[in-house]
Amino acid sequence: MDIQQLPKAELHCHLDGSLSFSAIRQLARWADISLPESDEELKRLVTAPSDISSLNDYLRTFDTILPLLQTKKALRFAAYDVAQQAAKEGVIYAEIRFAPTLSTAKGLTAIEVVEAVLDGFEQAQDDFGIVVKALACGMRQSNLDETYRMFKEVSRLATRGLVGFDFAGNEADFPTGVLEKIITDTQALGLPFTLHAGECGCANNIAQGLKLGIKRFGHATALSLSAEILDDFVAKEATAELCLTSNLQTKAISELSEYPYHIFYDKGVRMTINTDNRTVSDTNLTKEYQLFSDYFGVSIADFLRFNEYALEASFATPEEKMKLLEKLHQGYAPFLNTDSN
């Protein structure tokens, strides 16, 4: 099975956590910020260490990158870099998320941040044929009034490729219930939500999201802890954005063999496979597929199904989905004819 050649769709990838080393070094030169000379030392700086104890420890790894993403030029370059990485491993559709307010430290407005990122995505689409959309993240631990103003401001870019919103950050201390009003108010702007939930053992965060009408959940690992919530998730045809390596690092699972894949599979959960953070988690989508194959016996037919789920749950237009699904099926046809799994 040549996994890298398989067409893929990715719904859960963070811009600031997925920059290539070469891009990080270029951004640092532009920002006049010193970095270690060796890639090995740089990797230790921007990749999550093996001994982290929680999601919050994992999130601290981003501190090195955020100062590099404070200009339009840097944001355009970063967006292009991440989309290019995805295209090189067969990704035909990607939604890449980022928190606009984290790139406003040097005077950019939130809308300028999103416009710059969309510029980079558009160039990557022209150069590589990949379809790339943007998701604007709010941070759970940030001021929610300011976050709502940001959501409202950037929502006008929906026609350019901003397709939805998300909440990331400290899930343990800022559960979904705290976000209910801002989610409801933001949904009224006309764009859908995906939500980080169930990454810290909190199945109720998923349940609360389902009650708010959210149909996509980042990680969703804690679904396995509640049969009732799991049944509701399946009944509502919600989609889980699985991030295997990241979940191991953040201690959402203690080892890969304990990941609840078979529980989800047997229940019929609509699963998708994602990187979360290519650089911080030292991974890519091909590696993630290989882990699912090695640990859980996932077949090419399963991968096709998961990518169908991803495109169906994506925030692309109906016309885009139809074209992408056709491209996906054409790309899988020769592999399915020879699949011996």
Side-chain angles (χ1 to χ4, degrees):
M1 182 193 307
D2 189 347
I3 289 175
Q4 183 159 350
Q5 293 185 42
L6 294 175
K8 305 172 185 73
E10 181 168 22
L11 300 182
H12 195 117
C13 177
H14 290 265
L15 178 67
D16 51 353
S18 299
L19 300 174
S20 66
F21 283 5
S22 61
I24 292 171
R25 292 194 182 282
Q26 180 61 68
L27 292 169
R29 286 191 289 269
W30 288 340
D32 197 22
I33 293 175
S34 297
L35 291 176
E37 292 186 5
S38 76
D39 282 352
E40 184 178 347
E41 291 178 13
L42 179 60
K43 184 176 181 178
R44 282 198 292 267
L45 195 62
V46 299
T47 301
S50 59
D51 59 350
I52 59 175
S53 61
S54 68
L55 172 60
N56 286 341
D57 284 345
Y58 179 88
L59 295 174
R60 293 189 185 99
T61 312
F62 292 85
D63 293 345
T64 299
I65 301 300
L66 289 177
L68 309 181
L69 299 175
Q70 300 298 325
T71 67
K72 294 180 183 179
K73 180 181 179 181
L75 289 159
R76 284 193 295 268
F77 184 79
Y80 184 90
D81 173 71
V82 177
Q84 180 181 34
Q85 291 179 64
K88 285 182 176 179
E89 56 171 344
V91 177
I92 60 174
Y93 178 84
E95 291 179 7
I96 299 174
R97 62 191 71 194
F98 57 98
T101 55
L102 297 182
S103 290
T104 58
K106 291 191 175 180
L108 291 180
T109 64
I111 201 161
E112 288 174 329
V113 171
V114 179
E115 285 175 332
V117 170
L118 291 173
D119 286 342
F121 289 164
E122 288 169 359
Q123 186 62 55
Q125 290 179 140
D126 289 343
D127 290 350
F128 308 115
I130 183 175
V131 178
V132 193
K133 305 292 186 180
L135 298 173
C137 292
M139 304 305 292
R140 289 173 178 266
Q141 62 271 28
S142 298
N143 181 289
L144 297 185
D145 289 336
E146 293 177 2
T147 299
Y148 176 70
R149 285 194 291 272
M150 180 271 289
F151 284 161
K152 188 174 182 179
E153 179 184 3
V154 303
S155 66
R156 72 184 74 169
L157 295 173
T159 57
R160 277 202 58 195
L162 176 73
V163 293
F165 298 113
D166 176 33
F167 266 103
N170 183 353
E171 181 189 357
D173 297 321
F174 298 89
T176 305
V178 174
L179 308 174
E180 181 173 350
K181 184 178 187 305
I182 185 173
I183 289 174
T184 301
D185 289 346
T186 304
Q187 286 170 325
L189 298 174
L191 290 177
F193 255 97
T194 180
L195 184 69
H196 282 70
E199 192 177 5
C200 64
C202 310
N204 282 337
N205 284 334
I206 303 170
Q208 291 169 333
L210 289 169
K211 289 179 181 177
L212 293 171
I214 294 173
K215 300 296 289 289
R216 268 177 47 188
F217 293 84
H219 304 283
T221 319
L223 270 177
S224 62
L225 303 178
S226 170
E228 181 180 357
I229 296 172
L230 178 56
D231 287 343
D232 190 37
F233 192 94
V234 173
K236 290 180 176 175
E237 297 186 332
T239 300
E241 304 164 353
L242 307 184
C243 306
L244 189 57
T245 297
S246 172
N247 278 182
L248 179 65
Q249 292 172 316
T250 63
K251 303 301 185 286
I253 53 173
S254 58
E255 55 184 273
L256 291 178
S257 60
E258 292 185 1
Y259 192 78
Y261 170 80
H262 290 296
I263 294 175
F264 294 168
Y265 189 91
D266 292 344
K267 278 288 187 177
V269 171
R270 299 173 68 86
M271 293 182 281
T272 69
I273 300 175
N274 308 272
T275 57
D276 196 18
N277 296 286
R278 290 169 171 267
T279 306
V280 173
S281 288
D282 190 21
T283 192
N284 57 43
L285 207 49
T286 301
K287 287 183 180 179
E288 295 299 306
Y289 277 51
Q290 191 64 58
L291 288 172
F292 276 92
S293 176
D294 292 345
Y295 279 84
F296 310 119
V298 175
S299 68
I300 291 181
D302 290 326
F303 287 137
L304 172 59
R305 186 188 318 169
F306 300 157
N307 279 286
E308 289 172 335
Y309 289 154
L311 291 175
E312 289 164 2
S314 75
F315 298 151
T317 66
E319 294 77 16
E320 287 172 325
K321 290 182 183 184
M322 183 173 64
K323 292 178 182 178
L324 288 161
L325 283 165
E326 182 179 355
K327 187 174 183 178
L328 179 73
H329 291 146
Q330 289 175 348
Y332 268 80
F335 295 97
L336 288 169
N337 290 339
T338 60
D339 184 14
S340 59
N341 286 329

